[in-house]
């Protein structure tokens, strides 16, 4: 159940990203929406890379999985730091909305897991 819900999150996160980006665009301005979208896009890209490389390592050489996980984590957080630094340096971007974009996948995943577990409780 959990891997299936995790995979579904990759689909549903795009609806969340587009919806929140539209709301931010309507409430704020174009640069605010770009800031959120930048953070969300980076988050989905890095989460996808992490998932694919971890699954590949688990299939090919399970002993290598820990090294791959550590390498992915270091790469991911360095890339997040670089994007946040860019958002702070660039006067047009909002670093807080960029950071909120980083949370997109996790927030969507929580909603998907909650909905999936509730659906299983109702069925069972």
């Amino acid at each position: 159940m959990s891997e299936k819900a995790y995979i579904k999150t990759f689909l549903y996160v795009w609806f969340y990203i587009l919806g929140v980006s539209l709301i931010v665009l309507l409430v704020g301005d174009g640069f605010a929406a770009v800031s959120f979208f930048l953070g969300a896009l980076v988050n989905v890209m890095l989460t996808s890379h992490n998932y694919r490389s971890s699954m590949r390592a688990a299939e090919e050489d399970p002993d290598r999985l820990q090294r791959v996980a550590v390498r992915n984590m270091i790469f991911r957080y360095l890339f997040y730091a670089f994007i946040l630094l860019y958002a702070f340096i660039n006067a047009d971007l909002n670093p807080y909305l960029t950071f909120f974009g980083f949370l997109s996948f996790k927030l969507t995943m929580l909603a998907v897991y909650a909905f999936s577990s509730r659906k299983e409780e109702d069925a069972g």
Side-chain angles (χ1 to χ4, degrees), residues 9-81:
T9 305
F10 282 103
L11 171 67
Y12 294 132
V13 72
W14 291 109
F15 293 110
Y16 173 81
I17 291 169
L18 293 175
V20 172
S21 294
L22 182 63
I23 291 169
V24 171
L25 180 64
L26 294 174
V27 172
D29 63 354
F31 286 113
V34 167
S35 298
F36 172 78
F37 192 80
L38 173 67
L41 182 67
V42 165
N43 180 253
V44 172
M45 178 187 71
L46 292 175
T47 303
S48 175
H49 172 266
N50 183 43
Y51 178 75
R52 286 183 289 126
S53 63
S54 296
M55 288 297 115
R56 191 173 350 153
E59 289 175 4
E60 293 173 1
D61 184 12
D63 296 332
R64 202 183 78 180
L65 185 58
Q66 184 177 3
R67 287 191 313 265
V68 169
V70 170
R71 183 195 68 203
N72 284 346
M73 185 174 64
I74 291 169
F75 174 72
R76 193 171 76 212
Y77 287 115
L78 285 175
F79 203 79
Y80 286 152

Side-chain angles (χ1 to χ4, degrees), residues 78-91 93 95 98 102:
L78 285 175
F79 203 79
Y80 286 152
F82 174 74
I83 295 298
L84 268 181
L85 179 65
Y86 178 74
F88 271 110
I89 291 171
N90 189 329
L93 296 179
T98 303
F102 289 161

